[in-house]
Amino acid sequence: MPFLLDDLRADVARRYDRLGLPSWPDPHADVHGPADDEYGRVTDPERLRIVHARATAWVDVLVSRLGARTEPVGPQDRTALPGEDRGLAVVPPRDGAMRLLLLEREGDADTPGLPAPLAVAVVRPDVVVERVPVCACDACDPGSEALLDEVDQAIGHVVAGETVVLRHPRWSATWQPGGAELTGGGRRMRFDRAMELCRRVHAGERVRLPWRTEAFAGAPWGEPG
């Protein structure tokens, strides 16, 4: 739903820009690759908080423009362990749309003093569709614009009803337009088979899933007001 995402994303960008947060170019845009000493090094870790500020701008827009509401991540989320997840859930205004969770997970930060990455999840805290950044070291730094785009893409696809997640005890598949991932597959599940199932679930087909597989998909949240 480009008409929905373009409008919402522009509003998110306007609200975010008012904050005057740091921005920086891709430090590797004009070189062949990162230097050896960039691996494991984190320069100015506080600037990575821009990903959480961007997520907060999204929450403001979803509440004010679509009529969503927020609620804490609490005991109803059986997979949220005390002290592990901080953040909130955004409840869509439309039945059939997926609940969005925006979380900070201290356990994902492998460097002392480094801000916890943003985990974008649907329905439950354990159904994560994206982590930003995946790695915070200088070698993996793509620049601020790319980080913000990752946040926008992950949240935007959920809001537009364009995210499908399949969860099995031994593998997990995530599908969105323009991107797909399979972890733990191998002989248990082929990538092409997993993506076929995801696309059929997204299309609303009746799909016979492998035993013990959960499917997470939802309708668009609605048009901006």
Side-chain angles (χ1 to χ4, degrees), residues 20-73:
L21 295 174
S23 63
W24 63 95
D26 179 355
H28 309 110
D30 299 322
V31 296
H32 294 296
D36 290 342
D37 63 355
E38 290 183 299
Y39 289 95
R41 186 183 73 197
V42 182
T43 302
D44 190 12
E46 283 300 308
R47 68 181 180 177
L48 296 176
R49 293 193 181 279
I50 65 170
V51 299
H52 296 286
R54 188 70 161 204
T56 298
W58 267 101
V59 173
D60 292 343
V61 168
L62 295 176
V63 171
S64 63
R65 298 290 303 280
L66 296 185
R69 61 180 177 84
T70 62
E71 61 186 25
V73 176

Side-chain angles (χ1 to χ4, degrees), residues 119-144:
V120 180
V122 294
V123 184
R124 304 192 312 246
D126 64 317
V127 189
V128 175
V129 298
E130 188 66 87
R131 287 182 176 88
V132 187
V134 173
C135 177
C137 80
D138 290 355
C140 296
D141 182 5
S144 58

Side-chain angles (χ1 to χ4, degrees), residues 68-210:
R69 61 180 177 84
T70 62
E71 61 186 25
V73 176
Q76 74 277 12
D77 297 301
R78 292 176 295 172
T79 56
L81 301 178
E84 180 187 40
D85 292 331
R86 295 199 309 269
L88 52 77
V90 188
V91 181
R94 179 179 177 183
D95 292 340
M98 285 195 294
R99 182 171 175 253
L100 172 70
L101 297 99
L102 303 171
L103 309 168
E104 292 184 54
R105 286 188 161 165
E106 295 292 351
D108 288 347
D110 55 7
T111 302
L114 187 68
L118 171 71
V120 180
V122 294
V123 184
R124 304 192 312 246
D126 64 317
V127 189
V128 175
V129 298
E130 188 66 87
R131 287 182 176 88
V132 187
V134 173
C135 177
C137 80
D138 290 355
C140 296
D141 182 5
S144 58
E145 183 177 352
L147 288 174
L148 297 180
D149 185 63
E150 289 181 41
V151 177
D152 290 350
Q153 291 287 339
I155 296 176
H157 284 313
V158 174
V159 172
E162 297 173 334
T163 296
V164 177
V165 181
L166 301 182
R167 293 291 302 271
H168 183 274
R170 294 187 176 183
W171 55 267
S172 177
T174 303
W175 177 90
Q176 296 172 328
E181 180 183 31
L182 174 66
T183 58
R187 287 180 299 176
R188 302 183 184 98
M189 173 57 69
R190 301 190 321 272
F191 180 84
D192 57 346
R193 173 58 176 161
M195 294 309 110
E196 177 191 0
L197 290 172
C198 287
R199 285 190 290 268
R200 291 180 62 194
V201 169
H202 179 253
E205 297 181 25
R206 292 176 61 89
V207 180
R208 184 174 181 178
L209 297 172

